[in-house]
């Protein structure tokens, strides 16, 4: 009964536990297996003749918050053809000094945003071992789905300042990481995709960067182009901020400081302000007709974005564009018309760049915890692996 309990505790098939020793380095578990007939790797004949034994120390999963080592008594068999070879074990790979389940544990820990150094410390292996295991992982170039999202993020891997991320906007998973966001590199990448794949793309989602739009028109002619509405909301916020800063230039120093420190009252949705803050906001808006008009345009646009009726959004959005263009505020005139068609597609189809921005945030955490990653292929593998 005791032997069976020890076997279940160790969870290794065909292994007998001989002894357990606690040392300063960790726990040393002495094990051995029953002898059985082996197949000669040279001639393929069976043999049960044992040539000799030797002890091998193998790293295993940590046990009871301590490092664990298996001290295995390995047999070497000899065949009638003269070939000598070691017994094969299901829990350890050839030429390895760690158990297979420890390697799988390292692969699992690499899905987190922790650094390689942290993974190595948690599994009692060196950083080079973790890197070698990471390099064994491989993710090929994927097929292009019907709905793709593209964005860039700042990275220090490779020769480019910015890397590019492709996301399946429907399944919300990373498709690929590209080493450069330049148009020439993106053209080469999508050129390698089959024409049928590119023509099957129905939606192309990006931010307000013109090279992405040009790329979509060239390689995905059947796709509906969608510009993320949150980037447009940011443009509207920047527009009202520009109006405020322009007006501050003519204010007294005391009033200028007050408007700067209280800018959140103007940027926040008016309906979300408390009563005291609403009165303070009303007082700030009394200073200028331009600021009051900019605030009304901002509130109107937020109301359009939060509506659930596409009919209302379509009608009101074009009215908003006309009002912004005729407002006399050059800050709003600049952002009113250029991206209007693509913004309206967001309201119609509901796709945004939200999942992509979420992955970008995870990438930033991964970079920060690792203090940067210089090898692009390794960086790409880690990003895709951690998102699965």
């Amino acid at each position: 009964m005791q032997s069976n309990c020890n076997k279940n505790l160790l969870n290794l098939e065909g292994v007998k536990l001989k002894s357990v020793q606690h040392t300063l380095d960790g726990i040393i578990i002495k094990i051995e297996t029953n002898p059985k007939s082996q197949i000669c790797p040279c001639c393929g004949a069976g043999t049960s003749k044992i040539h000799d034994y030797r002890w091998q120390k193998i790293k295993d999963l940590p046990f009871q918050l301590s490092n664990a080592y298996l001290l295995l008594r390995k047999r070497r068999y000899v065949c009638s053809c003269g070939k000598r070879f070691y017994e094969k074990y299901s829990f350890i790979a050839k030429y390895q000094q760690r158990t297979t389940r420890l390697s799988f544990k390292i692969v699992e820990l690499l899905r987190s945003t922790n650094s390689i150094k942290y993974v190595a410390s948690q599994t009692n292996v060196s950083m080079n071992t973790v890197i070698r295991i990471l390099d064994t992982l491989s993710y090929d170039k994927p097929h292009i789905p019907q709905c793709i999202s593209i964005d860039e993020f700042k990275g220090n891997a490779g020769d480019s300042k910015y890397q590019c991320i492709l996301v399946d906007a429907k399944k919300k998973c990373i498709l690929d990481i590209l080493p450069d966001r330049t148009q020439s590199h993106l053209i080469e990448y999508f050129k390698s995709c089959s024409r049928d794949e590119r023509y099957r793309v129905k939606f192309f989602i990006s931010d307000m960067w013109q090279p992405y739009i040009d790329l979509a028109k060239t390689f995905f002619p059947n796709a509906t182009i969608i510009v993320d509405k949150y980037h447009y909301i940011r443009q509207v916020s920047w527009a009202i901020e520009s109006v405020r800063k322009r007006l501050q230039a003519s204010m007294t120093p005391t009033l200028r400081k007050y408007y700067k420190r209280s800018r959140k009252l103007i940027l926040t949705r008016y309906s979300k302000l408390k009563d005291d803050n609403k009165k303070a906001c009303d007082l700030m808006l009394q200073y200028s007709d331009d600021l009051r008009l900019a605030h009304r345009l901002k509130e109107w646009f937020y109301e359009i974005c939060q509506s659930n009726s596409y009919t209302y959004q379509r009608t009101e959005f074009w009215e908003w564009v006309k009002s912004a263009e005729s407002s006399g505020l050059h800050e709003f005139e600049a952002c009113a018309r250029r991206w209007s068609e693509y913004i309206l597609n967001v309201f119609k189809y509901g796709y945004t760049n939200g999942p992509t921005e979420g992955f970008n945030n995870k990438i930033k955490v991964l970079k920060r915890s690792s203090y940067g990653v210089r090898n692009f292929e390794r960086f790409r593998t880690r990003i895709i692996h951690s998102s699965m």
Side-chain angles (χ1 to χ4, degrees), residues 122-138:
Q122 292 296 303
T123 52
N124 188 29
V125 298
S126 67
M127 290 178 59
N128 288 335
T129 298
V130 178
I131 291 173
R132 284 196 300 270
I133 292 175
L134 177 61
D135 289 341
T136 61
L137 303 177
S138 177

Side-chain angles (χ1 to χ4, degrees), residues 258-321:
Y258 175 78
Y259 269 74
K260 182 178 180 181
R261 292 172 181 172
S262 304
R263 62 185 182 275
K264 287 186 177 180
L265 296 178
I266 298 176
L267 293 175
T268 306
R269 286 295 309 272
Y270 187 79
S271 59
K272 294 184 178 181
L273 294 175
K274 296 181 180 179
D275 291 340
D276 293 341
N277 290 333
K278 285 182 179 179
K279 293 179 181 179
C281 181
D282 292 338
L283 189 61
M284 293 174 67
L285 296 177
Q286 290 299 320
Y287 181 83
S288 168
D289 292 339
D290 285 355
L291 187 60
R292 194 159 53 250
L293 177 57
H295 186 267
R296 186 178 71 83
L297 288 172
K298 185 264 295 183
E299 288 293 313
W300 187 7
F301 184 75
Y302 281 6
E303 181 183 346
I304 294 171
C305 290
Q306 292 187 347
S307 174
N308 294 323
S309 172
Y310 172 67
T311 304
Y312 170 83
Q313 288 176 323
R314 181 182 57 192
T315 305
E316 289 296 307
F317 180 72
W318 288 121
E319 288 297 324
W320 183 90
V321 170

Side-chain angles (χ1 to χ4, degrees), residues 161-221:
K161 184 178 180 181
Y162 290 96
Q163 274 82 56
C164 198
I165 179 173
L166 292 178
V167 174
D168 186 334
K170 193 171 184 179
K171 295 183 179 179
K172 299 180 181 179
C173 62
I174 295 179
L175 294 172
D176 208 349
I177 304 294
L178 309 184
D180 200 348
R181 71 163 182 173
T182 58
Q183 201 166 26
S184 59
H185 183 86
L186 294 175
I187 288 173
E188 288 299 321
Y189 181 84
F190 287 115
K191 260 186 174 181
S192 62
C193 301
S194 68
R195 181 177 177 180
D196 291 339
E197 274 188 330
R198 292 188 283 107
Y199 277 47
R200 281 198 299 266
V201 174
K202 294 182 178 180
F203 299 101
F204 184 92
I205 308 158
S206 70
D207 57 16
M208 301 168 71
W209 199 48
Q210 188 61 43
Y212 289 154
I213 306 300
D214 297 337
L215 191 77
K217 291 178 179 179
T218 303
F219 288 96
F220 309 104

Side-chain angles (χ1 to χ4, degrees), residues 15 36 43 59 85 164 263 271 319 335 337 354 379 388:
V15 169
K36 57 183 178 181
C43 66
K59 291 181 179 180
F85 58 94
C164 198
R263 62 185 182 275
S271 59
E319 288 297 324
C335 71
R337 177 69 64 173
F379 190 38
M388 297 183 70

